[in-house]
Amino acid sequence: MKHALLLLLFSISSFSQKTIESFKSGKLGESREITIGLPASYEKNPAKKYPILILLDGDYLFDPFYGALSYGSYWDDIPETIIVGISQNKNEERIEDSNYDQADGLPTEKGAKFFEFIGGELLPYIEKKYRVAPFRIIAGHDTTAGFLNFFLYKDYPIFNAYISLSPELATDMEKRIPENLNKIKQPIFYYQSSADGDVKKLREPIQTMDESIKQITNPLLNYKYDLFKGASHYSLVLYSIPSALYQIFESYKPISSTEFNEKIAILPSGYVDYLVTKYDLLSKNLSMKIPVRINDFKAIEAAILKNNAYTELDQLAQIANKYYPKTMLADYELGLMYEKQGDAKKAAKKYQNASQQEEIGDLTKDMMMEKFDDMQSLIQKK
């Protein structure tokens, strides 16, 4: 039992890299506690960079976001992400941090200082200290959810994605945000939510803003609004977090069985082009470049075989050679192409070459030699 407990504690610590530090801010003129959550793979992959999520109301939003991101990244549906939660553990503090002028609806006093603290101090500090990819998310709840919208008042917003949970909107914000989103010149993800049990004074301006945003035709905007039934002002947070994350990281997800059946297998041709476009979109939307997943290779291979489009295996081999040059993947795909085209001699040669290279996925040296033997048998029969 003792050994089992030690193993459990070791397992938890190896997957949890949560630290709390005091950040001395010149803008605020005070120290602010921040909580930093690093991905499980951070130390193991010294060259890898990660998206960053800045959490307002980090005191109570950190753990639900950390759990959702950990779960999603475990299944590779969501990329591992660096989380930075800003402490605002007193209601007066979060209100002061979000202060704005009632007349012009712009940050003022401590609100203006807090705005500068995030963009001028905290982000540069985190991005200098940690390996951060050029994709930034900010999230908040009610008062702080309204405040994060101020970053969209800039011509070139410093955040790429906004998660606004039941926002308390500043003066004229329900008009300004749609106007600014309509003019954006860079891809922006925008998520907001409410509930039928939400605070009544918040729902009407949120609804007004939602109706206006839905009229926007700017292709650079990726927008989603959730109105949860049976949820309260507080419980909507737990409904919203996975919905928001899966909206933002939709293009990151590997090929699913639904995507395969409904989008890929039904194509008359261009299966490899579909794969290339998928990863180009990921790079464009999320500023992330990752190798084509092995399972995605297999999905495209399956679509090619299903539709007898064997020549496309040559294109697939070129991609394999680009991302996995030391493995047997490229020669295997070429061997499979020649096998399906009835050229056993060329297929045997490629399978033999593959058997001399590194194994990858479910491709093994034994499998390649079996394939080679099968092709040799066909040659001898001719």
Side-chain angles (χ1 to χ4, degrees), residues 4 10 49-50 78 83 88 103 118 265 271 274 326 329 339 342:
F10 175 77
K49 294 185 178 182
Y50 303 83
I78 293 173
I83 310 175
Q88 296 171 288
I118 293 173
Y271 310 102
Y274 182 96
K326 296 181 180 180
L329 186 56
E339 178 184 348

Side-chain angles (χ1 to χ4, degrees), residues 327-346:
T327 74
M328 58 180 62
L329 186 56
D331 277 323
Y332 163 75
E333 297 294 354
L334 290 174
L336 188 59
M337 179 184 71
Y338 290 129
E339 178 184 348
K340 294 300 181 180
Q341 291 176 335
D343 193 333
K345 186 174 182 181
K346 287 185 178 180

Side-chain angles (χ1 to χ4, degrees), residues 74-93:
Y74 178 86
W75 298 107
D76 201 26
D77 280 346
I78 293 173
E80 291 183 298
T81 301
I82 295 173
I83 310 175
V84 181
I86 304 172
S87 176
Q88 296 171 288
N89 54 16
K90 298 176 182 176
N91 193 47
E92 313 86 64
E93 187 171 61

Side-chain angles (χ1 to χ4, degrees), residues 178-193:
E179 288 173 358
N180 288 1
L181 289 175
N182 191 42
K183 297 183 292 185
I184 55 174
K185 299 178 177 63
Q186 64 193 61
I188 292 290
F189 295 85
Y190 190 81
Y191 175 91
Q192 68 170 343
S193 63

